[in-house]
Amino acid sequence: MADLFTDYPKAMQRSTAFDEMFSRESGLRPDYSGVNDVLQSLNLSDVSARAETMARTFLDRGVTFDFAGEERAWPLDIVPRIIPGAEWNSLSAGVAQRVTALEMFLNDVYDRMEIVRDGVVPRSLITTSAHFHREVHGFPTPGGVRVHISGIDLVRDDAGTFRVLEDNVRVPSGVSYVLENRRAIAKGLPEAFTGTSIRPVEEYPRRLLSALRRTAPEGVDDPTVVVLTPGVYNSAYFEHTLLAGMMGVELVEGRDLVCRGNRVYMRTTEGEQRVDVIYKRLDDDFLDPLQFRADSMLGVPGLVNAAREGNVTIANAVGNGVADDKLVYTYVPEIIRYYLGEDPIIPNVDTYRLEEPQAREEVMDRLADLVVKPVDGSGGKGLVIGPAATPEELEALRKKVLADPRGWIAQPVLQLSTVPTLDGETFGPRHVDLRPFAVNDGEEVWVLPGGLTRVALTEGSLVVNSSQGGGSKDTWVVDSGGSEQAPAVPTAVPWSTRRSARSAQRVWPSAFHNQGNPADQYDEQQQQQNQSCVAPSALKPASGRSSDAQSDR
């Protein structure tokens, strides 16, 4: 039988990236031995036939995505991405830590803004974010939870270190493909699947439904949960239908709901039924035409007022997008230390804050060497990879950055790790990222084992988004030698509860808070002076992140 990986070592030499399956020094990594044995027992036509069968299965089940206006089968590669259980436990703890800190940050931002008064982040960072919504400032969310579902994008650098690439706590998508990938790979590579101790992913819908029900408005014993979708033309509509079906709840559009007396009702064939929890899958701007875009036909008039009165839970909470802002991202290490008194378990990727003059000057001199991204972009849209850009593109980018420095960040070009991927005739190394999904029910953060691995299907490309031609891999968290599974992390308590516990060991100066100065009288100039004492030097990248040549939201 021909070795399908004969040319793989040579292909690895064309990049400095860390390879997940093969070590440059010792060859095949032990956790991939089972997969390798199965693949080596097949020939190329066998592997291709199995890959085609998986693609047909996806088409039959309607697991598709839109690429350049064409509906295609969801692209799943036959080689899984494997993460050892012990390594995953650390990643899981790091994701839970980050979600907990962002939960506290958002509750604080829409309440007393203590993090601003204590000089950790500048007020302007929050108020100039495109997704900071004053309309929802000042009213609590049921159970103190704003981030019910999150997707934290990770990459592994060329040294083998996992780093956070991006935070998605607004409307994170992609978990349906995790569930479908597992179903497909179990049929496409059954010999390796049944012979390996892989942590299951099927628990996700139950965990999600439990979290939504537990954060229902106070006094509701048997809450009615719905999934709110923009409709059939949305690119993630398959996911909306799958999750609603697996949770056993109704899938609704805005026209199916009505607000009356600051309560939300669903129109049914048997009359109106009160709704208690809405898992929204549309952007905030389209959610309530009375508060945001008046021309929205997708939302529900009066929905925000119903939430303000505590009569309905919206998951994720309105206004969470401020935490997805890529400039806010650069402050997350400080945010973690401030709220939790801990160092980040998973580091960010170095990032230049282009609103800082010295950093901006350095980046302008090195545009051809860096990745520059809009702070509110998603799906890889708007970013410019310097080494791959033309002089005309770089000049156009320079003008955009100088016109709106707050709107951009810059990062080094990171060589994302690679995994063998079928390219038609053999296996070649292709760059991947990873999106673990976390569910927060107000008492603990549970992280789905593995998450969504996205892969760039073109050799050398760092763009893994499906919307730009990327594919995916099933992600296996493999236990061997009695590895213990990562428990849910019981740190996601409401901000109001944590405030008193944290006050005795405040990490940052709190003189202004202790003097009782209200937030609206805080001296912005003094706050900026405080900030200069703790922020990274403008001449160095802020503890930020990687070349995010990557992400669907």
Side-chain angles (χ1 to χ4, degrees), residues 12-34:
M12 286 175 57
Q13 299 305 316
R14 295 195 286 268
S15 169
T16 60
F18 178 96
D19 192 79
E20 304 277 345
M21 184 168 176
F22 292 97
S23 166
R24 297 178 190 275
E25 297 77 24
S26 55
L28 182 71
R29 300 187 190 277
D31 291 292
Y32 276 90
S33 59

Side-chain angles (χ1 to χ4, degrees), residues 30 50-51 82 85 93 198 200 202 291 331 374 411 435 485 496 509 529:
R50 294 190 183 202
I82 296 178
I198 307 169
E202 294 77 13
Q291 301 288 339
Y331 289 87
Q411 301 159 332
R435 176 175 290 184
Q485 297 210 10
S496 58
Q529 292 175 357

Side-chain angles (χ1 to χ4, degrees), residues 346-366:
I346 310 175
N348 279 16
V349 177
D350 291 341
T351 303
Y352 292 91
R353 300 169 183 158
L354 297 189
E355 66 171 1
E356 298 177 351
Q358 290 175 289
R360 184 168 62 252
E361 181 179 353
E362 180 177 342
V363 169
M364 290 299 98
D365 290 338
R366 299 179 52 210

